[in-house]
Amino acid sequence: LSAPESEGLMCDILLKVKENEFPAHKSLLACSSDYFRAMFKSYTKESKASVIHLQVISSMGLQHILDFIYTSWLPLSFESLEDTLEAASYLQVTEAIGLCNQYIVNNLTLENCCFSANVATKFYLPDALAATEKYIISNLWRLLDLDFTGLLELNFRSLMAVVESDVSKVNESCLLNLVMMWLKHDKSRLTLRSSLLEQIRYGLIPVEDLRKVYTQSEVPLPDRLQHHNMCVIGNFLYVLGGEIESSQSETKTDPSFSVTSGVHRYDPRFNKWAQITGMLEKRCQFSCCVLGNNIFAIGGRGENGSLHSSVEVYNITRDRWTKVVELPCKIHGHASTVCKNTIYLSGGKSTEQTNTSKDVYSLTTVEGILCTGTVHICCIKTLC
């Protein structure tokens, strides 16, 4: 049957993939493919068409499937496997899919097993997937030396199968290192970290190895800052406001700075900085402290030397800044601390002063303002 197709004899349909044309016979296509069988039924528009455009599959994949339809022989190699499976799946040629499945099972090697697992997962070939995962688990100790890059490209399901199994000749330290490297290889995988890391048996890993895995190199802030503030909540480091070095500075010896409202958070688990919702006002030389799940940003200096008396609060659960009751005066360069759910402010300079202030302010959970002498008690209700 290959001669009529290759010579275009008595062909009644032309299949087109981009610029490539493939003459064929509707009757043979309909007998071999559920896709074409449905397409060429009498009530469809395509049944009257002389040309069918196939946009999804590749020319190579279609050629292989046509060869199989006309000769019952399917040319397969690992280089063309994905194209062939894509065409067979799209055109619903189930016999060709079965042959691809068997080809993977019968031709597994150290060089192609990770690729085969990904292909089997992508096209849902359960027999091939089970065989490839069993092969990877049995030969993991070899793959860690020979094809570590292939392991980093392995799909999540297959890696989970590896981590969950009792892998011989591979210690738990190597498994942990593999998981950490796999997560770092693609940032989108970080959402899967809990599922993988829960499978590691940390009790079997020497303390020295754990320290090596979790010891991170220094990661600089995204911007150069001065006169900023910092605090810690839930083992996350927050860096708030400050003056950021301008990229348009004329000289490195005398850089220019501008006040920022930006906030960055450092995650020690992944050794990375992330920018989060910024403050409502630009601030430097201000104070910040933590009360419950809230970060208080208090006073400080804004743009063009203007001073702030405002206080704003960041709720980490809601990822939102809110302004609360202001201080009695504008102040910057002060210090703050927390004691028994009360924030105490001391020192700094206000608009009326040339010397450092000796006033003390306290922010508590009671609403109202009370001023007595040189001691100001400013009470602000804590946000939930």
Side-chain angles (χ1 to χ4, degrees), residues 160-189:
M160 273 292 290
V162 171
V163 177
E164 289 174 340
S165 64
D166 187 12
V167 183
S168 60
K169 299 184 181 180
V170 176
N171 59 47
E172 210 70 15
S173 297
C174 292
L175 282 179
L176 175 58
N177 183 61
L178 172 61
V179 169
M180 296 296 288
M181 294 294 290
W182 187 88
L183 290 170
K184 292 178 181 178
H185 190 66
D186 185 345
K187 293 181 180 179
S188 64
R189 297 172 175 176

Side-chain angles (χ1 to χ4, degrees), residues 74 109 164 209:
L74 185 63
T109 66
E164 289 174 340
D209 290 349

Side-chain angles (χ1 to χ4, degrees), residues 66-86:
L66 289 176
D67 289 343
F68 176 70
I69 289 174
Y70 279 87
T71 67
S72 296
W73 180 76
L74 185 63
L76 285 176
S77 68
F78 280 97
E79 289 73 21
S80 63
L81 184 61
E82 277 194 279
D83 285 331
T84 304
L85 269 169
E86 189 175 68

